[in-house]
Each structure stands twice: as structure tokens, then as C-alpha cells.
Amino acid sequence: MPRPPSSPAFWRSPLRGPWFTSVLGVVLLVGITVLFVTGLLSYAAYNPDLSAVNDKTPDKGILGFYLFPWPTRPVWLYRLTQGVHVTLGIMLIPVLLAKLWSVVPKLFALPPARSLAHALERLSLLLLVGGALFEFTTGVLNIQLDYVFPGSFYTLHFYGAWVFIAAFVTHAVLRVPTALRNLSLIGRPGPRTDRASASQGASPGASSDASPDAGEPERPEDGLVSPDPLPPTVSRRGALGFVGGGSVLLAATTAGRSFDGPLRETALLTPHGGAEPGSGPGGFQINKTAAARGISATETSEEAWRLVVSGKGRTVRLSRAELSELPLHSSALPIACVEGWSTSDQWWRGVRLRDLAGLVGYEVEAAPAVLVESLQRHGAFRVAALRDNQVRDPRSLLALSVNGAELSPDHGYPARIIVPAAPGVLNTKWVARMTFGEL
Ligand SMILES: Nc1nc2c(c(=O)[nH]1)N[C@H]1C(S)=C(S)[C@@H](COP(=O)(O)O)O[C@H]1N2
Ligand SMILES: [Mo]
């Protein structure tokens, strides 16, 4: 008679066992903690508390308790935090899948709940597994498919992260001690067999050696070790090697997204953006082309385009020629997108944001926040709000040229914002209007 999946003997891989599950669990414990922290940092970097323009997450309420003004130095700050978030997230996919595989017999274990405590634990596991799959899926869709959830990616990924992390912390508190014992990282000194039987509460004589390829007897309710294993075709260490190899392969084909030039070509798994940037002064990543955003040469021409700067009840209109007669400054700054890709520092040249605030009567040292609007009429990222510390930083520019050449249409001609350490989404292209003041 065929055995049902609820029978432990249905699951015959000799790889399953506390050691294998615990190694993967500890890797996820560390990795997911880093993902959570860098994710929260990324959210803070969007200035979500500044204006409903940047963040439409309704009632972030207490979940926004930790928000702080994102600094403008070091200039590579977001490049680092978000590069780590995305690259590490991708690397953890094989680990997550292997971990789920290693415990899948428990999904089918009967009875579904032995006690109220057990029922609650299984419910928390539902949130844990569901939350993990949800966070990894939305994350990957966002970086690979370019915002399939219009405007709502942050909301989904942000709320999902909090639900997931609640289940994750519960699970970690319940399981980390066992995992560390299984790995012999904690526990009593003394002969291995004694320690194992003492720590696992098994009957005397039941040895539970925690080494990777021992038979791993365990408490029956752990249900990880197959009672009727098939002969092994690979050792547990070997299987871990496959998982780790998968992570390394993913990293090797992803990490190039954080660099320019030939290294970027190694990022096989990275969408290469809206246009091939080519070489020369504009030879760095182009995510959204002018054509894709409906920006025409007519509306950016010298005759048609005016920058409208307002604040303090005043409005100033500047042609591009007038703009380029204002004091121009250079800053070497990268662009770093939430999708994890970034450019090296480029040499931007343009008018300081704080000098534009000065045009409408603000003290440059006390320049306020600004709302920046693009010529673009449709699609995401038409508008962005910058905080006062970003406006005041002397390296923050309304750039007119990059690496010594006029901005190309795809890089934001006639003018684009560039702010140190900020997420790319705040670097609005094809700027049409800037409104200074309290937001
Ligand atoms: N007007 C406008 N500005 C924009 C965007 C956009 O879609 N429209 N995309 C933003 C995002 S999300 C990033 S990461 C950077 C990317 O710059 P790039 O398209 O020049 O690579 O531009 C930002 N500025
Ligand atoms: Mo972006």
C-alpha cells in the first residue's frame, strides 16, 4: 500500500535531519536579520514621513516609529545598504528553498495540532513560511520586472516585512537554542553521546551525534529524519555545498549591477535597463528612457522649457541658458536604485539646490525641503520630495551636465536632480518645477 505524505516513512531522503535544517536555519537567521535592517533603512531613505508624494503607505503609524532623516554622507551609503539588501536577498533564495525542503514532512504531519500550543506554533509557521515566500517573491518581481505592482510595491513589501518578522522572531526564540545544540555550538561539555542524550532528553543509550553524516537519531516528534531512508547519493555537507554554490552563482551573476563598465556585463540576472548606455560621458546605467516616459524634444527645447522655482510666495522662471549662468558646481555622486543596481560616481555639474532656494528668498544655509516635479505626465516617479538636509548639502545639484558633456535626453535633459547618498528614485529627471517650503 502506498504510504501517505502524513506518514514519516513517505519521506525518504537521507539528507533530512536536525543538523542540515539547523545549518540552513542559522544562515537564514543572520541573513534575514540583515535583510530586515537594510530594508527598514531603505524605507527611511525614501523620506516617507516628509510628504505623501514619496510614500503612499496608509497609516504606517507605529511601524514608522524608527524613521529618521536620511543622511547625505557617505555618498555611497544607499549604494551599500541597498546593494547588500538585494544581493543578499537573491543569495538567500537557495538557502530558503533548501530550508523549506528540509522541513516539508512537518507540513503533512498528523494530527494537525496536538495541543493549543502546538496549534499556535503551526499558525505562526504559516505566517513565517507565507511571509518569507511573499517577501522574496515581491522583492524579486520588483527588481526583475520593474514595478509590476504600480505604486504599491513599497506598501506590500513593507507591511509584509513586519508580519513576516513577527513570525520570524517568534520562531527564532523557540528554535535557536535547539538549532545551536544540534550544531554542537552550545551544550554541555563531555562525551558527545552523553551530551546529546542529555540535551535532547532522549532515553539513555539513544545517541544523537550532531555531526553532519551520523545517523542522527532524534526525538521522534522532531520528524525530520526519515525512518526508512534511501541510500545517500550525496553527503549532507555535499548537499550544503550545492546550496552554497547556488548562492555564489546567483551572487556572481547579480553583483555586477553595482558597478559600471565591463563588470556590469557580468550581471546576467539584472535587467539592463531601458537603454544601452554605450560609452563616453553618458556611459552609465539608464533605467528609464525619455521615450519610455513620453518626454519629447519639443518640450525640452530652449524655446519651450522653463524651470519654475517657487517658494515664499515668489515664483521665478528660468530658461536653460539663464540657469547655466548661475554659479555652477561639480559633485562626484553615484545613482543607486532600490532595485539594487548602482553606478560608480559620475561627475555632475549644475546649480546647487540651496542656491535655487536662495533665488526665491531663502537663506541658503536654512533652505527648506523641496517638492520636485518632472515634465513627465504619466507613470511612477513624476514627483519627489527632498528633505532640508538634502537641499542644504552643497553637493546636491540640479545637474545640467555629466562627465563634462550636456545631459543626454535619457539622462534627464534639460536638468535632473542629483543628491548624495539618496535612493535613485529621488533623483528626478526632466525637472520642470521646484517648490520650496514646508511639505
Ligand atoms: N522623471 C523621472 N525621474 C526619475 C525616474 C522616472 O521614472 N522618471 N526614475 C527614478 C529612479 S527609480 C531612478 S533609480 C533613477 C534612475 O536614473 P536613470 O533612469 O537615469 O538610470 O532616476 C529616477 N528619476
Ligand atoms: Mo529606482
Side-chain angles (χ1 to χ4, degrees), residues 314-399:
R314 291 198 222 169
T315 298
V316 178
R317 299 166 68 86
L318 297 155
S319 70
R320 198 166 189 282
E322 289 165 331
L323 254 185
S324 42
E325 274 155 25
L326 296 175
L328 299 181
H329 298 270
S330 297
S331 323
L333 299 174
I335 293 180
C337 180
V338 65
E339 295 163 16
W341 62 262
S342 55
T343 70
S344 315
D345 291 357
Q346 313 295 330
W347 277 97
W348 304 92
R349 192 162 173 79
V351 182
R352 285 181 173 157
L353 298 188
R354 64 184 199 185
D355 289 348
L356 291 169
L359 279 186
V360 288
Y362 286 99
E363 204 64 63
V364 292
E365 304 291 337
V370 66
L371 188 74
V372 181
E373 293 169 75
S374 169
L375 276 177
Q376 183 189 322
R377 277 165 299 270
H378 308 290
F381 316 131
R382 293 179 42 254
V383 266
L386 301 172
R387 200 183 284 280
D388 53 11
N389 67 323
Q390 294 171 320
V391 174
R392 288 172 200 172
D393 192 297
R395 295 164 301 177
S396 298
L397 301 177
L398 180 67

Side-chain angles (χ1 to χ4, degrees), residues 156-228:
L156 294 174
H157 205 62
F158 179 71
Y159 282 129
W162 281 104
V163 171
F164 169 62
I165 211 71
F168 182 75
V169 169
T170 310
H171 185 70
V173 167
L174 292 174
R175 291 308 172 90
V176 164
T178 314
L180 296 185
R181 256 197 310 275
N182 288 337
L183 298 176
S184 306
L185 293 176
I186 56 171
R188 276 134 273 239
R192 294 182 76 100
T193 44
D194 286 25
R195 178 188 56 202
S197 48
S199 65
Q200 298 213 347
S203 57
S207 97
S208 175
D209 195 318
S211 67
D213 291 302
E216 290 201 74
E218 55 173 346
R219 293 180 300 179
E221 68 266 30
D222 276 352
L224 290 176
V225 173
S226 172
D228 182 19

Side-chain angles (χ1 to χ4, degrees), residues 20 38 45 49 91 96 150 155 174 193 199 257 261 274 296 301 305 307 342 375-376 401-402 407 411 424:
F20 192 64
T38 50
D49 49 345
M91 288 179 75
L96 177 72
T155 315
L174 292 174
T193 44
S199 65
R257 64 167 70 212
S296 73
S301 68
W305 185 81
L307 175 71
S342 55
L375 276 177
Q376 183 189 322
S401 64
V402 65
L407 288 178
H411 281 306

